[in-house]
Amino acid sequence: MKRVLRSLALGCVAALVGACAPAVRPIEATDLVGGGPSADRVTVRVKAVIEVPAPLSVVYVLPVGEYLPAYADGHGAYFASPTGVVERADGSERTLVGGLHLPNAGGESYSYPSLYVESSPRNPSKLPLPSDQLKSYGENVVFALDGVEQGP
């Protein structure tokens, strides 16, 4: 029953977000990360597991790895987890398509990253990352431009 309610809640959030969010599309050279480099030249490296609490006692887990650019919308770029995002609830786990969303506004890429999971293909729902999981730049998450990690 809880799984049904959780799926329904995620679907409602996705519907509300989807109603006002721009459609996702393939990344283009004009899509920027934080007002800086083109998103197609950037990867995001998660160096430590990040746990994101959600409603209904759900926890999403972003695994360690290199997140590649997947697509973009009017708010920023989506970087897909190499192995998906683990959803933990009610003592069970399942893996969903998802990763990190970074805003395209100047200076905000590290300040306001979000977890995203797809309830259906190219229909992402976003949750902000907890500030205690981000710590300082480079500790849990770092950007790489053309394969080279970028300093603070």
Side-chain angles (χ1 to χ4, degrees):
M1 181 64 168
K2 283 187 179 180
R3 184 166 296 277
V4 171
L5 289 174
R6 187 174 64 249
S7 295
L8 183 59
L10 183 59
C12 290
V13 169
L16 290 173
V17 171
C20 60
V24 296
R25 57 180 167 65
I27 286 187
E28 301 168 357
T30 56
D31 293 313
L32 305 179
V33 174
S38 171
D40 62 350
R41 296 177 52 208
V42 174
T43 60
V44 178
R45 294 178 180 165
V46 174
K47 295 185 165 202
V49 170
I50 298 174
E51 294 187 353
V52 182
L56 301 173
S57 301
V58 174
V59 175
Y60 292 103
V61 181
L62 291 163
V64 171
E66 187 143 5
Y67 291 52
L68 302 177
Y71 41 87
D73 64 17
H75 300 294
Y78 294 82
F79 293 83
S81 165
T83 57
V85 175
V86 175
E87 177 190 70
R88 292 183 182 152
D90 302 327
S92 64
E93 290 186 354
R94 66 180 179 155
T95 301
L96 303 169
V97 172
L100 290 169
H101 177 269
L102 302 178
N104 56 10
E108 292 185 2
S109 57
Y110 190 71
S111 301
Y112 302 104
S114 299
L115 157 97
Y116 81 89
V117 291
E118 294 185 16
S119 52
S120 61
R122 293 201 175 215
N123 185 17
S125 299
K126 295 185 275 188
L127 287 170
L129 295 184
S131 58
D132 67 325
Q133 292 285 324
L134 290 177
K135 302 180 181 175
S136 62
Y137 177 79
E139 192 168 335
N140 286 356
V141 177
V142 67
F143 304 114
L145 178 61
D146 297 327
V148 178
E149 285 190 11
Q150 303 299 297

